[in-house]
Amino acid sequence: MRFTPAEARRRVAGTDWASLAAELDELGCAGTGPLLTPAECAGLAALYDEPRLFRTTVDLARHRFGSGEYRYLTHDLPAPVAALRAALYPRLLPLARDWASRLGRPAPWPDTLEEWLDRCHAAGQDRSAQILLRYGPGDWNALHRDVFGDLVFPLQVVIALDVYGGDYTGGEFLMVEQRPRAQSRGTVTPLRQGHGLVFTTRDRPVRSRRGWSAAAMRHGVSTVRSGRRRTLGLVFHDAK
C-alpha cells in the first residue's frame, strides 16, 4: 500500500488527542497511536544507508553531543515522512497555540505547515531538520533542545523504527524538567516501534502562584545497552 497523505491523516486521527494533550501538559511528552507498520519502519530505517537522501551527517562524539550518529534528510522527503509531518501539524497546532496563550507569548504559526515553512525560509531557516538517528551499543544522546533558529515550533515528534527490548535494550527517551528553586525532574519513556512520541522542543507551561510560567526542558537518549536503536525525528521548523 502506498503511504498517501490520506492514509497518514487516518493513522494520525487514530490517536486519542484529548488524552495526549493532558499527558503532554503534565510531563512535556506523550505517546501517539501507531503511525507506521513494522515493514514501513524497516523501510525507513534502511534509507539511512542511501547518502543521496541526506544533506549532512552528524557524529555525536565529534561534537561532544554523546555517542552515535544522525543524518538530516534533504527537502526531498520520503513519502511517509512528508505525509506524517503534514498530517501531524494541524493536530499539534491547537496545542502549540494553547501553550503560547497560557505563557503570554505570540503564536506565529499559521494554519498550514506550508505557510509556516515559507516563513522559516524567508527568515533564513531554509535547511531541512528531519532526522534519521542510529545508535549502537554504548551510544547515547546528551540532553539538548532542537531550536535551530529564531522561528520555533514548540512541539516535535520522534517515531521508533526498532523494537524496544527486542532489537535493542537501553536507549530510553529522556526528558528533564528544570524546576525553579527545586531539583530537576526526569521522565524516562521506552519508545514503541511505529508509534510516535510528541514532546516539547524547549519548555512547557506550569502553574505558579502568579499564573503560568515556562518550565525549561531538555531531551536526550539513555545509553544503549545492546543492539541497534533507530528513530525518525519530525521537526516542524526548518534550520539555519
Side-chain angles (χ1 to χ4, degrees), residues 28-72:
C29 61
T32 74
L35 302 176
L36 294 169
T37 67
E40 290 163 348
C41 288
L44 282 174
L47 297 181
Y48 198 91
D49 295 319
E50 298 187 27
R52 63 182 178 80
L53 299 176
F54 301 93
R55 65 173 178 84
T56 193
T57 299
V58 176
D59 180 336
L60 275 75
R62 178 184 175 189
H63 298 280
R64 301 187 70 184
F65 294 161
S67 175
E69 189 177 272
Y70 59 86
R71 288 180 164 173
Y72 286 104

Side-chain angles (χ1 to χ4, degrees), residues 56-227:
T56 193
T57 299
V58 176
D59 180 336
L60 275 75
R62 178 184 175 189
H63 298 280
R64 301 187 70 184
F65 294 161
S67 175
E69 189 177 272
Y70 59 86
R71 288 180 164 173
Y72 286 104
L73 289 154
T74 69
H75 283 301
D76 187 16
L77 298 173
V81 178
L84 284 174
R85 191 183 185 209
L88 284 162
Y89 178 83
R91 296 284 183 167
L92 299 176
L93 183 59
L95 308 180
R97 288 172 171 170
D98 176 55
W99 279 17
S101 176
R102 286 190 241 173
L103 292 172
R105 293 175 174 172
W109 314 290
D111 290 341
T112 68
L113 178 61
E114 291 77 11
E115 186 179 353
W116 170 238
L117 294 178
D118 285 344
R119 293 186 190 182
C120 289
H121 296 173
Q125 293 178 214
D126 57 3
R127 296 192 298 167
S128 171
Q130 312 318 300
I131 314 173
L132 281 178
L133 304 98
R134 184 168 69 181
Y135 302 88
D139 289 343
W140 56 284
N141 199 338
L143 297 171
H144 65 284
R145 296 167 172 170
D146 297 317
V147 176
F148 302 140
D150 294 331
L151 298 182
V152 177
F153 193 78
L155 299 168
Q156 57 197 92
V157 180
V158 61
I159 301 175
L161 303 180
D162 293 300
V163 177
Y164 175 77
D167 295 322
Y168 67 97
T169 61
E172 294 86 0
F173 183 89
L174 305 175
M175 288 219 77
V176 174
E177 176 183 331
Q178 182 178 333
R179 300 187 299 162
R181 298 174 298 282
Q183 298 288 346
S184 297
R185 179 178 75 159
T187 299
V188 176
T189 306
L191 301 182
R192 298 178 63 188
Q193 185 187 39
H195 292 237
L197 184 75
V198 179
F199 62 99
T200 176
T201 300
R202 57 184 177 185
D203 54 27
R204 73 178 184 93
V206 295
R207 281 196 180 276
S208 67
R209 282 183 280 184
R210 297 181 180 179
W212 292 96
S213 62
M217 303 193 73
R218 298 178 185 273
H219 64 275
V221 177
S222 72
T223 303
V224 175
R225 302 300 183 101
S226 65

Side-chain angles (χ1 to χ4, degrees), residues 2-26:
R2 291 181 59 248
F3 201 104
T4 63
E7 177 62 16
R9 290 191 295 270
R10 185 189 69 80
R11 296 189 193 182
V12 167
T15 291
D16 182 342
W17 285 94
S19 294
L20 183 145
E23 186 173 345
L24 190 65
D25 276 350
E26 176 62 24

